[in-house]
Amino acid sequence: MQRVNLQPLFILHSRPYSNTSLILDCLTWQHGRVSVMARSARGLKSRYKGMLQLFSPLLASWTGNRELKNLGTVERQGPIYRLEGRSLVCGFYLNELLQRLLQREDPHPDVYTLYQTTLNILEKQTDPRSALRCFEKNLLRSLGYGLPLKKDAQSREEIHDDAYYQFVPERGFLRCEANPNNQFIFSGKTLLSLAAEVFDEDALLESKRLLRIVLNRHLGNKPIKSRELLV
């Protein structure tokens, strides 16, 4: 039987199971996304009382060879990230993206670090949009779907900030004429801004449109519920 001891972990989602237990979908440092059962977690004398919260860095142990593991010891690794208002909705969005895009037990330590870094930013910033765009871009790159934001896919020339480029899935960006009616056309300025992770208002709006197009290709037809609450 597989036994994992005190692995860094965040809970992405929890749901009741049976009378007093919980099933938790978790992001871990070395084991990727794992599902665990926390037995008697909702009981009055639960050893997990007050511990199993979203956005709380934990150390957790589990056992089991099947898809659903059995949760063991849990310890706090640090204070919970206090997200409020828009930042809280953004936190739910991050969790939902990770649940949908990460395969079970496929290790991505860089994604774990990206997630924790983004929570730290969301806790401190009143406008979370740039943090979301950076998270989306870097998550795609970590999963092998990175965007070639600095070179024209055909000519291999550097992207120019005063030119326009059409996004062609599976290829990249091709220089073209401006066309506000074509949702696949983006300014070179936006592409370079996204690459550098430095945004003005126009770049934020265009980057959101671009990343949503790319993410939707990998998410399928099932909508992201938390997106409905995001501006």
Side-chain angles (χ1 to χ4, degrees):
M1 176 180 290
Q2 183 191 38
R3 181 181 298 273
V4 176
N5 292 315
L6 295 180
Q7 171 78 190
L9 172 152
F10 281 96
I11 296 170
L12 301 176
H13 183 264
S14 68
R15 60 184 175 90
Y17 179 78
S18 188
N19 292 326
T20 60
S21 298
L22 288 171
I23 292 180
L24 309 173
D25 202 25
C26 305
L27 176 67
T28 74
W29 169 253
Q30 290 183 320
H31 297 265
R33 185 170 68 88
V34 300
S35 292
V36 299
M37 181 187 298
R39 297 184 183 276
S40 301
R42 294 182 291 140
L44 294 177
K45 297 181 179 180
S46 172
R47 58 174 169 164
Y48 303 122
K49 196 171 185 64
M51 298 282 288
L52 305 180
Q53 301 181 58
L54 300 183
F55 315 122
S56 179
L58 303 171
L59 294 172
S61 302
W62 64 84
T63 59
N65 295 322
R66 298 183 178 180
E67 187 174 280
L68 183 61
K69 318 297 184 184
N70 292 307
L71 186 65
T73 303
V74 175
E75 300 177 4
R76 295 191 187 279
Q77 194 182 27
I80 190 171
Y81 288 93
R82 302 292 179 182
L83 307 185
E84 299 178 351
R86 294 176 65 192
S87 290
L88 179 59
V89 176
C90 291
F92 292 148
Y93 174 65
L94 301 188
N95 289 3
E96 198 171 355
L97 268 186
L98 293 174
Q99 283 187 277
R100 294 281 298 278
L101 291 176
L102 293 180
Q103 298 297 317
R104 292 186 186 277
E105 300 186 55
D106 183 15
H108 284 284
D110 53 337
V111 172
Y112 185 96
T113 301
L114 172 64
Y115 177 75
Q116 188 163 22
T117 299
T118 305
L119 290 183
N120 186 53
I121 296 171
L122 291 176
E123 186 179 46
K124 298 175 181 178
Q125 286 188 352
T126 55
D127 186 348
R129 292 179 298 168
S130 60
L132 285 190
R133 303 294 80 84
C134 293
F135 179 85
E136 292 167 335
K137 183 197 77 168
N138 290 311
L139 176 61
L140 287 166
R141 182 182 61 190
S142 294
L143 298 181
Y145 308 130
L147 293 170
L149 297 167
K150 295 184 177 181
K151 288 191 176 182
D152 184 300
Q154 182 168 301
S155 69
R156 307 308 300 165
E157 293 181 357
E158 299 290 328
I159 295 288
H160 296 281
D161 61 4
D162 59 351
Y164 289 85
Y165 299 83
Q166 181 169 341
F167 174 61
V168 180
E170 313 301 337
R171 291 191 65 189
F173 298 91
L174 304 179
R175 188 161 182 169
C176 64
E177 297 297 322
N179 182 353
N181 297 318
N182 187 334
Q183 66 170 341
F184 287 85
I185 292 179
F186 302 88
S187 69
K189 178 184 175 183
T190 290
L191 302 183
L192 295 175
S193 294
L194 182 56
E197 301 185 358
V198 178
F199 305 93
D200 60 16
E201 188 67 25
D202 290 339
L204 279 173
L205 292 173
E206 276 205 326
S207 293
K208 178 180 178 179
R209 173 162 56 91
L210 170 60
L211 289 163
R212 185 155 295 190
I213 288 171
V214 179
L215 285 167
N216 284 346
R217 290 177 53 80
H218 303 291
L219 290 168
N221 296 325
K222 185 180 178 182
I224 293 285
K225 295 179 181 178
S226 51
R227 271 184 181 172
E228 299 172 5
L229 303 174
L230 292 173
V231 178

